[in-house]
Amino acid sequence: MTTVVTGASGLLGSALVSALRDDGHEVRRLVRREPAAPDERFWDPAGGVLDPAALEGADAVVHLAGAGIGDRRWSDAYKRELVESRVSGTRTLAEALARADGGPRVLLSSSAIGFYGDTGDRAVDESAPPGEGFLADLVRAWEDATAPAAEAGLRVARLRTGMVLSGRGGALARMLPIFRMGAGAVLGSGRQYVSWISLPDWVDAVRFLLSREDLSGPVNLTAPGPVTNADYTAALAKALKRPVMPVPAPRLALRLALGEFADEALLAGQRVLPRRLLDAGHRFAHPAIGDALAAVL
């Protein structure tokens, strides 16, 4: 098949593009600069510019573009950028798909488990309602922006992704230098849940969803074994053969250093289960945190 990918240069996009090409599929990459390769097409997500011709003849789109949630401190300006980069870009793409003649009939659109807010000890799946907070509001608006594609009859799946484990980027890669120095610590109480997925399992889940015409709507891309922050910290330290600091990182210090991001992304937790993937028969290569860390490191 021919798949159009946005965000193809990022951690997730580059791994997916490589896997699809290894499978023998054709990939087109949407880029925000002058195209420099035969497989590139220009778009301006913030400006609402995407020529539907860039989509003609393709079978599916995987939309991954958006500013990084943890890349900068959450100032009011950066929060606006997070919203704009996701909502405007998704709407631009969905509207172009709705207009495209002979274009893709499938859209897999990136989303996040931030949709559920802080779930505490409660396990949730795709049937759970939205939570509260900036991230929950952002994800809800982000997903709503896919509506033009769905209304035009495309199969739209929203990829509610947890923390993706990779030694090459993302949250884990930022933690590695700290843990390798033996300075890794539990965050706050350590009781908050971390819902994660290995990068290879994330790629395999997306490939699975591309092939399953019966799956649309929200799909949790998380491993079936969410763990507490304390258990995650212990597993990472064990994988690196390093100790854990005996004193947790205090909530107040995290809030002072990272602001609102600490409250919503580090000290809050989501205990999320991939119910729809499991019910559809998808199998995870790394269902346990120890095996996943060993694989990606």
Side-chain angles (χ1 to χ4, degrees):
M1 65 194 304
T2 297
T3 303
V4 177
V5 179
T6 76
S9 62
L11 175 68
L12 303 183
S14 58
L16 178 63
V17 167
S18 178
L20 290 176
R21 287 176 172 161
D22 286 346
D23 289 342
H25 302 304
E26 180 183 340
V27 177
R28 294 181 200 160
R29 298 176 294 158
L30 295 186
V31 298
R32 294 176 294 167
R33 50 167 171 73
E34 186 70 22
D39 67 332
E40 294 182 343
R41 305 290 188 276
F42 173 77
W43 79 315
D44 178 5
V49 177
L50 174 56
D51 185 350
L55 306 171
E56 289 178 3
D59 301 291
V61 175
V62 182
H63 174 44
L64 305 174
I69 293 291
D71 287 357
R72 287 162 50 191
R73 187 182 177 92
W74 285 5
S75 64
D76 289 343
Y78 193 60
K79 287 167 70 175
R80 286 193 297 271
E81 182 178 339
L82 290 173
V83 174
E84 182 73 12
S85 70
R86 283 164 172 73
V87 177
S88 296
T90 302
R91 185 180 298 114
T92 294
L93 180 58
E95 290 175 349
L97 284 166
R99 297 192 306 269
D101 186 17
R105 306 310 303 164
V106 178
L107 169 62
L108 306 188
S109 189
S110 186
S111 183
I113 61 171
F115 176 89
Y116 303 108
D118 186 352
T119 71
D121 292 335
R122 178 172 53 95
V124 297
D125 60 21
E126 293 88 349
S127 65
E132 298 180 351
F134 169 71
L135 284 179
D137 293 343
L138 166 61
V139 175
R140 191 160 56 247
W142 188 8
E143 293 188 351
D144 288 347
T146 63
E151 291 165 1
L154 277 76
R155 176 171 70 91
V156 177
R158 301 187 291 276
L159 313 179
R160 291 181 182 166
T161 299
M163 182 173 71
V164 179
L165 301 182
S166 170
R168 298 188 291 109
L172 174 59
R174 289 194 289 269
M175 296 176 192
L176 289 178
I178 298 171
F179 274 78
R180 283 177 172 142
M181 291 189 297
V186 170
L187 303 181
S189 71
R191 294 192 297 270
Q192 68 273 29
Y193 271 85
V194 178
S195 292
W196 54 273
I197 185 170
S198 73
L199 179 58
D201 269 338
W202 184 90
V203 170
D204 283 347
V206 173
R207 292 156 79 193
F208 180 78
L209 290 170
L210 283 170
S211 70
R212 288 292 297 260
E213 296 183 2
D214 57 326
L215 289 175
S216 61
V219 182
N220 293 334
L221 269 60
T222 60
V227 294
T228 64
N229 174 262
D231 288 341
Y232 171 77
T233 301
L236 180 53
K238 181 179 179 181
L240 295 173
K241 298 180 173 60
R242 294 291 187 271
V244 175
M245 294 288 286
V247 179
R251 298 175 68 93
L252 179 59
L254 291 169
R255 286 171 173 155
L256 288 173
L258 300 172
E260 189 179 354
F261 173 80
D263 281 321
E264 292 215 22
L266 299 180
L267 298 172
Q270 290 93 28
R271 190 178 184 183
V272 178
L273 302 178
R275 182 62 56 203
R276 298 196 66 202
L277 283 175
L278 293 173
D279 288 349
H282 179 66
R283 295 185 177 183
F284 289 81
H286 311 123
I289 187 65
D291 292 340
L293 289 170
V296 302
L297 295 177

